[in-house]
Amino acid sequence: MMEKYKGDEDYWSKRNVQSSWTYFGAHNGIFRKIPATHQEECGQYDPRCRPWFVAASSGPKDVVLVIDVSGSMKDYGRMDIAKDAAVTIVETLTVADRIAVISFSDRATQIGGYSSLIRATNENKKRLIKAIKDLDANGSTNFYDAFETAFDALENTIKREVTSGCNVAGESCMLMNRQTENMQVHSHLFLVLFMTDGQI
């Protein structure tokens, strides 16, 4: 890492520009920065939660967050835990990713009124994070509508050809067209994260 920084420093000094930092983030949370800076507290920065690390380690992705907001989520701080997890996931996404956030209790709703996944721009992420933080738990639990809405969002995204475009070798997703009962296989990575306490 020092050799890389020294090479960068030599390159930029020839152009009369001061080189910036060189970063390294590992899968176990180790973080190194050259030149180093003094910090009062050690271990407060985890690179695994930063968009640059997530993008480099996983590539573009299509993510659907399905969040249970039924009444039982009020118990034991479950709603706050689900919100914190959802916000953390949204914050790690980059503009190369697509996302949909679905909340459900008696019925499921895609946050923002969209019908497909949207690009994870800073503006869209801010809107989704605000909406996630404003979620309130009440009502019963309708898992069926939650999954139906999640798969509708994925299906609409594929039909509109606005996926993140990440083709992953060996990964495929099978979506059933409910009208024609035909299975379509897509060589693509979709992530559906289902956040619930499991209580019906």
Side-chain angles (χ1 to χ4, degrees):
M1 198 165 147
M2 285 298 295
E3 290 173 19
K4 167 80 170 91
Y5 180 74
K6 183 67 176 140
D8 288 350
E9 196 173 43
D10 291 344
Y11 174 84
W12 289 112
S13 66
K14 291 176 186 172
R15 286 151 182 81
N16 204 24
V17 175
Q18 183 178 358
S19 62
S20 62
W21 288 287
T22 296
Y23 297 91
F24 171 78
H27 70 282
N28 58 0
I30 290 176
F31 176 70
R32 298 291 180 259
K33 176 172 69 170
I34 298 174
T37 55
H38 176 72
Q39 291 183 311
E40 294 295 321
E41 293 183 39
C42 184
Q44 297 298 313
Y45 184 84
D46 188 344
R48 297 171 294 183
C49 297
R50 303 299 304 153
W52 60 265
F53 183 89
V54 174
S57 63
S58 65
K61 65 200 100 7
D62 293 330
V63 179
V64 180
L65 298 179
V66 185
I67 306 170
D68 185 349
V69 294
S70 63
S72 62
M73 290 293 284
K74 290 180 185 176
D75 300 338
Y76 310 107
R78 294 174 183 148
M79 192 74 243
D80 291 333
I81 293 168
K83 287 181 186 182
D84 289 346
V87 166
T88 299
I89 291 165
V90 172
E91 288 175 340
T92 63
L93 299 176
T94 68
V95 72
D97 303 316
R98 297 231 171 225
I99 184 162
V101 180
I102 295 161
S103 64
F104 74 97
S105 58
D106 301 319
R107 63 183 197 85
T109 306
Q110 185 169 342
I111 290 177
Y114 304 102
S115 62
S116 61
L117 280 67
I118 59 171
R119 188 171 298 283
T121 62
N122 286 334
E123 183 179 316
N124 286 340
K125 291 192 311 185
K126 284 178 189 173
R127 255 190 308 230
L128 289 174
I129 288 169
K130 183 186 180 319
I132 289 167
K133 289 180 177 180
D134 291 343
L135 291 173
D136 188 36
N138 58 46
S140 61
T141 309
N142 186 343
F143 290 119
Y144 300 107
D145 201 33
F147 281 115
E148 182 88 14
T149 305
F151 287 113
D152 283 348
L154 288 171
E155 196 170 0
N156 290 335
T157 302
I158 292 167
K159 282 181 183 176
R160 292 179 54 212
E161 297 181 354
V162 291
T163 67
S164 65
C166 180
N167 292 313
V168 181
E171 294 287 341
S172 64
C173 175
M174 286 192 266
L175 292 179
M176 178 176 278
N177 184 323
R178 282 171 281 259
Q179 285 77 31
T180 62
E181 298 297 319
N182 291 331
M183 285 294 246
Q184 296 176 343
V185 178
H186 299 274
S187 177
H188 192 86
L189 180 63
F190 295 102
L191 303 172
V192 178
L193 303 171
F194 199 74
M195 300 178 189
T196 182
D197 62 359
Q199 304 233 352
I200 296 177

